[in-house]
Each structure stands twice: as structure tokens, then as C-alpha cells.
Amino acid sequence: MTTKLFKKLNNNHTSYVKADDIGQAVGLNHTSVNQVIRRHKRELENVSRERLNYRRDSKRIKTYLLNQPQAVLLTVFMRSNATVKEFSTDLVKHTYPVNEPVENEETKRINKLLRNAIKTNDQEQNYKKYFDLSYRLALGRSAKKLRESLNIPDSKVITNFLNDDAVERVNQSRLDIIKELNISPIFDTIAVKLLTK
């Protein structure tokens, strides 16, 4: 399980892993894993200059989502004394430089165009719906479903975690929405037209 877990992290440097998966790999239950995380929150946030992300399920149970350096460090903290923890923190900082995903320039430009089209057509109340529609058109899933399936925290931009082909499809769907907004600024009409295209 541990090897499989770290292969997943190594294959996708921008992904997040559930803390419970790490706990399962080392034989700790959900409560114990969360205790270790709370005890070492400062070190975990410091190692990657990112706050700890989490998601709550339908039963309101908090599950932490860790990036690669945080996942490695959490594993070290599970069975270490203070000296080893300090050494391991430094080791992880030097081994994994902070590499925050950078938003594609074309995606930034298209997002700005879509925001302007939404604002120009007095559709601010549907802002989230239009962006959600772009994911449904391009990838067949809503933003919420994408975040859940890819373990993307709410504070992160979804397109930063997609491959180039998926980003290109999302960008094209947003351009299609902009075109339709300029013809008829009614969300339901645009959604039906594009989803049945």
C-alpha cells in the first residue's frame, strides 16, 4: 500500500492525497491520523508554504488533503521523536522545492473574457453556473465532482490539476459560452443549446 501511495504522489506532483490513505498504509485509524496532523500542523504547513487543506464528507467528517511534501512529512511524524522530526522537516524542504502549479496564460485570458462577458450581460448571479457549465461541457462533470474525484481543495484552481488536453477542452467550452452569451444572455437557453449540441 505504501509503495502504491508514493507512486501516485510521484506520478502527479500536483495531486493531493487523503491523509486517511497514509494512515491506512501505516496502520493508523482516521482519528489517530487527524491527531498527528493537528499536533504537527505548523510543520506540515511550513514545509510547503501551504495551509492544510481538507474536505468534509456528507457526515461532516473532516478528511485532510495533503500535497506531496506534506504527505511525506506526515509519514515521518507518525513514528518519530523531536530530533528526527526536525531533521525530516529540513530534509523534505530541501528535497521537494515548492512548486505551486501555474495557471496557463491562455486559460487566464479566456477566464477574463468569460468574466467580462458575464458582467457585460448582467449575469453576475450566474457566474458560478457558467464556469460549472464549462466543466460539464468539456469533461462531463461538474466542478464539485471534479474536485471530489481529483482531491482538489476548494481554494485551488481546477484547471491547474488537469492535463493539457482537458485544459484545452475547458478553454474551448468557455469560448463557446462567451459566443452564446453575446447572442442570448439567458443561462438556461445557453446551457440547453450547448449541452445538446
Side-chain angles (χ1 to χ4, degrees):
M1 175 73 176
T2 306
T3 307
K4 190 175 174 183
L5 184 66
F6 284 103
K7 277 185 183 175
K8 175 186 173 187
L9 281 169
N10 286 331
N11 288 338
N12 188 357
H13 294 290
T14 59
S15 70
Y16 287 77
V17 66
K18 292 178 185 174
D20 289 346
D21 292 343
I22 296 170
Q24 187 178 15
V26 297
L28 290 177
N29 64 26
H30 175 81
T31 306
S32 299
V33 170
N34 283 1
Q35 245 177 3
V36 173
I37 290 171
R38 283 192 303 273
R39 191 177 315 130
H40 303 290
K41 181 179 179 184
R42 192 187 63 201
E43 292 93 345
L44 290 167
E45 290 178 341
N46 187 25
V47 76
S48 70
R49 287 189 239 142
E50 180 177 352
R51 68 178 178 81
L52 287 172
N53 295 293
Y54 63 88
R55 169 165 275 119
R56 291 190 186 271
D57 65 12
S58 59
K59 297 177 184 172
R60 305 293 298 151
I61 295 173
K62 183 188 280 190
T63 300
Y64 285 97
L65 303 172
L66 306 173
N67 61 27
Q68 192 178 33
Q70 290 169 338
V72 172
L73 191 57
L74 175 63
T75 306
V76 171
F77 286 163
M78 288 181 170
R79 306 257 189 247
S80 299
N81 63 34
T83 307
V84 174
K85 288 177 196 172
E86 186 179 331
F87 171 78
S88 300
T89 303
D90 291 340
L91 177 65
V92 170
K93 280 182 182 178
H94 291 88
T95 306
Y96 297 103
V98 176
N99 54 350
E100 194 64 27
V102 179
E103 190 172 2
N104 176 305
E105 288 302 317
E106 179 69 2
T107 302
K108 276 185 182 178
R109 185 185 71 76
I110 291 171
N111 286 347
K112 186 175 182 180
L113 289 173
L114 180 54
R115 282 192 298 274
N116 289 340
I118 291 169
K119 188 175 181 180
T120 302
N121 290 292
D122 294 323
Q123 290 289 303
E124 286 94 345
Q125 73 278 9
N126 291 325
Y127 178 85
K128 185 177 177 188
K129 287 182 181 180
Y130 282 111
F131 276 85
D132 196 54
L133 177 61
S134 71
Y135 292 116
R136 288 183 21 225
L137 290 169
L139 307 171
R141 289 185 279 178
S142 67
K144 181 179 179 180
K145 293 288 183 196
L146 282 169
R147 285 186 187 285
E148 288 173 2
S149 66
L150 299 173
N151 290 330
I152 302 172
D154 293 335
S155 61
K156 302 296 177 184
V157 178
I158 293 174
T159 52
N160 290 350
F161 297 86
L162 301 176
N163 64 33
D164 292 341
D165 179 55
V167 170
E168 193 173 307
R169 290 192 320 236
V170 170
N171 286 343
Q172 185 56 53
S173 70
R174 289 180 180 168
L175 289 171
D176 293 342
I177 291 169
I178 292 166
K179 183 177 160 186
E180 293 300 323
L181 260 169
N182 293 326
I183 296 169
S184 170
I186 300 169
F187 176 79
D188 292 334
T189 306
I190 293 171
V192 168
K193 184 174 181 180
L194 292 176
L195 287 170
T196 57
K197 191 171 153 181

